[in-house]
Amino acid sequence: MEIDPRILQFAGSLIAILVVGALVVALKLGRSTSLSTHTDAARAAAQVHDGYAANQSAISEAGNAAVLSDKAGQIMVIKAHGAHFAGRLLGAEASASVQGNVLSIATGEARFGTVSLTLTKADTGPDTWASAINQLGSPDHARPA
């Protein structure tokens, strides 16, 4: 019995796809990135910037982004980036705006872009975060030593 080469090619491709899928699962490469608690957000921020110790945070409703502050007044924004989180410490070039319960943070870095967070369950409202971010460049803002 002769098997059509197209069937063999199809079967080989299917087997290869299943093997790659199994490797992805085994290596946990396809895990979801989601933040649900302050502890999750603080851990992600500490991984992004070594030594960053968040004492306050607000997590987006979707769990894909957060804004955090530390005791020194540094504000960080993190967002999902593949299976991990990427983040930036915000400086004077950052700005924020609010529409309803959506906080939009422009980091001032074109490659990082703007991060939008829907804050419905946050302890601190989007207006408070926007005000703090927009004051980063002002002389009144306490800068870390």
Side-chain angles (χ1 to χ4, degrees):
M1 178 171 113
E2 191 174 315
I3 299 176
D4 187 344
R6 291 178 290 182
I7 292 174
L8 288 175
Q9 183 179 8
F10 174 77
S13 295
L14 183 62
I15 290 169
I17 290 169
L18 293 173
V19 167
V20 169
L23 283 172
V24 166
V25 170
L27 296 174
K28 298 180 181 176
L29 296 176
R31 68 177 185 253
S32 66
T33 51
S34 183
L35 303 169
S36 58
T37 66
H38 170 76
T39 303
D40 294 340
R43 186 179 355 220
Q47 290 173 352
V48 167
H49 186 77
D50 191 34
Y52 188 83
N55 67 338
Q56 190 174 15
S57 65
I59 301 168
S60 70
E61 188 175 89
N64 61 349
V67 61
L68 308 97
S69 65
D70 67 4
K71 290 181 180 180
Q74 293 180 305
I75 299 175
M76 178 186 283
V77 62
I78 59 175
K79 66 179 180 178
H81 183 72
H84 301 284
F85 285 94
R88 294 293 186 269
L89 285 173
L90 302 178
E93 67 283 352
S95 63
S97 61
V98 177
Q99 277 194 328
N101 60 351
V102 177
L103 172 65
S104 295
I105 303 169
T107 62
E109 291 184 43
R111 293 186 72 183
F112 196 79
T114 299
V115 180
S116 294
L117 299 91
T118 302
L119 302 177
T120 55
K121 300 175 185 171
D123 293 336
T124 306
D127 292 322
T128 304
W129 283 105
S131 177
I133 292 166
N134 290 330
Q135 290 178 10
L136 286 173
S138 74
D140 296 334
H141 178 73
R143 299 300 256 168

